[in-house]
Amino acid sequence: MSYDTILVDTNGRVGVITLNRPKALNALNAALIAEMGRALDRFESDAGIGCIVLTGSERAFAAGADIKEMQALNFPATYVDDFITSWERLSRCRKPVVAAVAGYALGGGCEIAMMCDIILAADNARFGQPEIQLGIMPGAGGSQRLTRAVGKAKAMEMCLTGRTLTAEEADRYGLVSRVVPLASLKEEAMKVADTIAGLSLASVMMTKESVNRAFESSLAEGIRFERRLFQALFATADQKEGMAAFAAKRGASFTNN
Ligand code: HXC
């Protein structure tokens, strides 16, 4: 399968998608979003893949949706084509996705990072929703996911003024899981992804589903949902293996059964 706007690679049980439109700072055009969707389809259907890393270049994770492509759009066209629907593919990915963010993560770039499950930020990362400066607003979940991540006050300031956050601020506000030196970003992201990919896939996928349910349900419903998934995991061979390995003081060897 060939791609023009992304690089797709595997490393053991980790699938790696690298956004690759360097001349446009990885601006997210329709072709890139479609190719990313195809790569996610491939990794999701591959039993040999347990975790996915999404990354960009040192200068830009992604500087937003492609403004030059959007410029000529009008309302009927965006409505009839349901512009942005295809972006949701990433948020529907059932396997965990680690975003390794260096440089600009602006507008749609910040939004796709927030669709991922863990954001690791390089110390040069910059996060922002500058759409307001273009006469539009966040359209791929920015006003919703950012608000849930950093709270109303900070989300309002970012969305209403376009102010960008440094990596250190993003860390302090809870937008990213941690900040690492730029030089070690990819290595750290691979370590995290490798760890996840070595675990039992069913427990990993159910954990992702359960954490995400916290954003969509009441506490009581979320706890009921969590309990059912927790109980279901006792039907897996991996639960027997994980606990037997602990008792025998040896490493677990999961088979995804
Ligand atoms: C199209 C873009 C782009 C974008 C950068 N480029 N961002 N092209 N869409 N979002 C292009 C520039 O036009 C330029 O091309 C090249 O990348 C390098 O960018 P420069 O501006 O020359 O670099 P620099 O001076 O270092 O400034 C970097 C920057 C700036 C601060 C990131 O490029 C910038 O402000 N970009 C736009 C950020 C933005 O507004 N993002 C939100 C987009 S709206 P040439 O050909 O001139 O070399 C959005 C909506 C999402 O994301 C909603 C869901 C769809």
Side-chain angles (χ1 to χ4, degrees):
M1 214 179 277
S2 73
Y3 301 92
D4 296 324
T5 61
I6 58 175
L7 304 173
V8 178
D9 202 3
T10 57
N11 190 332
R13 287 182 52 77
V14 177
V16 182
I17 301 174
T18 305
L19 306 179
N20 188 36
R21 296 188 69 213
K23 288 184 188 149
L25 300 183
N26 292 335
L28 304 161
N29 62 5
L32 185 151
I33 295 295
E35 289 191 348
M36 185 166 69
R38 272 171 42 212
L40 290 168
D41 288 344
R42 174 183 149 192
F43 287 147
E44 206 157 41
S45 61
D46 182 346
I49 295 295
C51 190
I52 298 162
V53 169
L54 179 64
T55 192
S57 69
E58 293 197 347
R59 191 169 166 217
F61 177 72
D66 191 313
I67 299 168
K68 293 162 193 168
E69 192 178 69
M70 282 188 298
Q71 199 175 354
L73 289 178
N74 60 19
F75 172 66
T78 59
Y79 180 78
V80 171
D81 293 348
D82 207 7
F83 176 48
I84 304 181
T85 290
S86 53
W87 290 51
E88 286 168 10
R89 174 67 187 85
L90 178 58
S91 61
R92 286 200 316 275
C93 183
R94 297 176 69 221
K95 290 181 180 173
V97 185
V98 177
V101 176
Y104 298 110
L106 302 179
C110 186
E111 290 172 309
I112 63 167
M114 291 189 292
M115 288 180 197
C116 297
D117 304 301
I118 297 174
I119 305 179
L120 286 192
D123 45 20
N124 75 337
R126 294 287 178 278
F127 297 87
Q129 300 289 162
E131 291 93 336
I132 198 86
Q133 293 162 354
L134 298 168
I136 57 168
M137 61 177 282
S143 65
Q144 305 303 300
R145 291 195 178 91
L146 185 67
T147 307
R148 282 165 170 77
V150 304
K152 175 177 166 177
K154 290 178 169 53
M156 278 291 190
E157 189 191 357
M158 289 173 69
C159 293
L160 287 176
T161 71
R163 182 172 96 81
T164 59
L165 300 183
T166 62
E168 190 275 320
E169 283 176 302
D171 190 20
R172 192 151 28 97
Y173 302 162
L175 180 59
V176 306
S177 71
R178 64 195 153 92
V179 180
V180 299
L182 173 61
S184 56
L185 176 69
K186 300 226 167 125
E187 189 190 330
E188 287 294 327
M190 285 308 296
K191 264 195 229 164
V192 172
D194 258 335
T195 300
I196 295 170
L199 301 170
S200 170
L201 192 54
S203 69
V204 162
M205 289 173 65
M206 285 190 199
T207 300
K208 167 168 176 164
E209 201 181 351
S210 193
V211 172
N212 280 333
R213 189 55 76 98
F215 295 101
E216 289 164 7
S217 66
S218 68
L219 180 61
E221 278 169 25
I223 284 174
R224 251 194 311 275
F225 182 78
E226 177 194 72
R227 188 163 307 162
R228 287 296 167 266
L229 294 184
F230 172 78
Q231 292 164 344
L233 286 171
F234 284 80
T236 64
D238 282 344
Q239 173 266 330
K240 306 285 176 288
E241 164 61 11
M243 294 191 183
F246 175 81
K249 298 187 189 296
R250 62 170 172 82
S253 177
F254 295 115
T255 56
N256 293 327
N257 289 301

